[in-house]
Amino acid sequence: MKIKAVVEALENFAPLPLQEGYDNAGLQCGLTERNCSGALLCLDVTEEVIAAAAESGCNLIVSHHPLLFRGLKCIADEGYVERCVRRAILSDVAIYSAHTNLDNAFGGVCHEMAQRLGLTDVEFLVPSADGRSGSGVVGNIAPVPASELLVRMKDVFGAGSVAYSEGPQQTIRRVALCGGSGDFLIDAACRQGADLFVTGEIGYHRFFGYGRRMWLASIGHFESERYTPHLMERILQDALPGLRTVVYEAPTSPVRYL
């Protein structure tokens, strides 16, 4: 099959118009008319990821985070993005990214987080006009002490640490989630009656003012989205059973915790 068939399968699940205005999801580099020898699935594109794709015989990388957010004025060895683009071209590896369109799609990144945490009755936190897509999700969980749930989240998502602020509830029954940088949804989580809002990153000042309403927790950007390559693998295996896929298991986050 051609690379464009893989692209079509991804975009049937998460159409590009679902991406946010600032985003650059879609084809990053390469030719889609070539036959696909395999797809390596990852969160971030790094030089190590490109080397792994070439070594495993995959001529397509499907990442969650786009390699290209801004235009390049040259392709050399000055910066990490330039080096990655140059290496991908020399290795004849195409790169495609499904980012906020996959975040906002039904069954996408946020739903994957909810499933991993065991939420039920999951719905979009801020649905689109037609209800078929949206930002973040909210759902119910079997009543659990807040402290126990924080520990469970740390374990489920492999977080090096969990930054949190306390709410008034000692028992959590309703949880709102958003992968990545989701603190723009905190107020929406309040309106939807969440006892806890979980995302990858929360700015320091956003933690203030919610102590009488709900708990807030930040588990790390990479950690919140770590299962996205597995989600992409299921999407592609369902749509294209003959496609060879390889999930890049090594962490790509540059962040370390003491």
Side-chain angles (χ1 to χ4, degrees), residues 117-136:
L117 202 54
L119 301 191
T120 60
D121 305 315
V122 177
E123 57 188 2
F124 284 113
L125 189 56
V126 180
S128 63
D130 62 9
R132 298 178 182 176
S133 61
S135 297

Side-chain angles (χ1 to χ4, degrees), residues 79-99:
Y80 133 77
V81 174
E82 292 180 15
R83 292 194 301 271
C84 284
V85 171
R86 183 170 178 269
R87 185 160 193 167
I89 292 172
L90 289 174
S91 301
D92 205 12
V93 173
I95 301 174
Y96 180 91
S97 299
H99 191 211

Side-chain angles (χ1 to χ4, degrees), residues 43-92:
L43 198 64
D44 307 287
V45 179
T46 66
E47 293 172 87
E48 291 78 14
V49 166
I50 296 169
E55 290 169 5
S56 63
C58 295
N59 64 351
L60 172 64
I61 292 171
V62 179
S63 69
H64 182 46
H65 295 142
L67 177 63
L68 300 174
F69 264 110
R70 301 171 182 85
L72 292 178
K73 293 187 177 181
C74 71
I75 299 175
D77 287 333
E78 183 66 23
Y80 133 77
V81 174
E82 292 180 15
R83 292 194 301 271
C84 284
V85 171
R86 183 170 178 269
R87 185 160 193 167
I89 292 172
L90 289 174
S91 301
D92 205 12

Side-chain angles (χ1 to χ4, degrees), residues 128-162:
S128 63
D130 62 9
R132 298 178 182 176
S133 61
S135 297
V137 297
V138 62
N140 300 323
I141 194 168
V144 56
S147 58
E148 181 181 322
L149 183 55
L150 292 176
V151 172
R152 185 192 304 177
M153 286 192 314
K154 188 174 186 291
D155 180 60
V156 167
F157 294 101
S161 65
V162 176

Side-chain angles (χ1 to χ4, degrees), residues 143-189:
V144 56
S147 58
E148 181 181 322
L149 183 55
L150 292 176
V151 172
R152 185 192 304 177
M153 286 192 314
K154 188 174 186 291
D155 180 60
V156 167
F157 294 101
S161 65
V162 176
Y164 70 93
S165 61
E166 296 183 2
Q169 309 89 341
Q170 294 304 306
T171 300
I172 304 298
R173 294 177 172 83
R174 189 161 173 80
V175 179
L177 299 167
C178 181
S181 302
D183 63 5
F184 67 99
L185 290 171
I186 291 175
D187 291 323

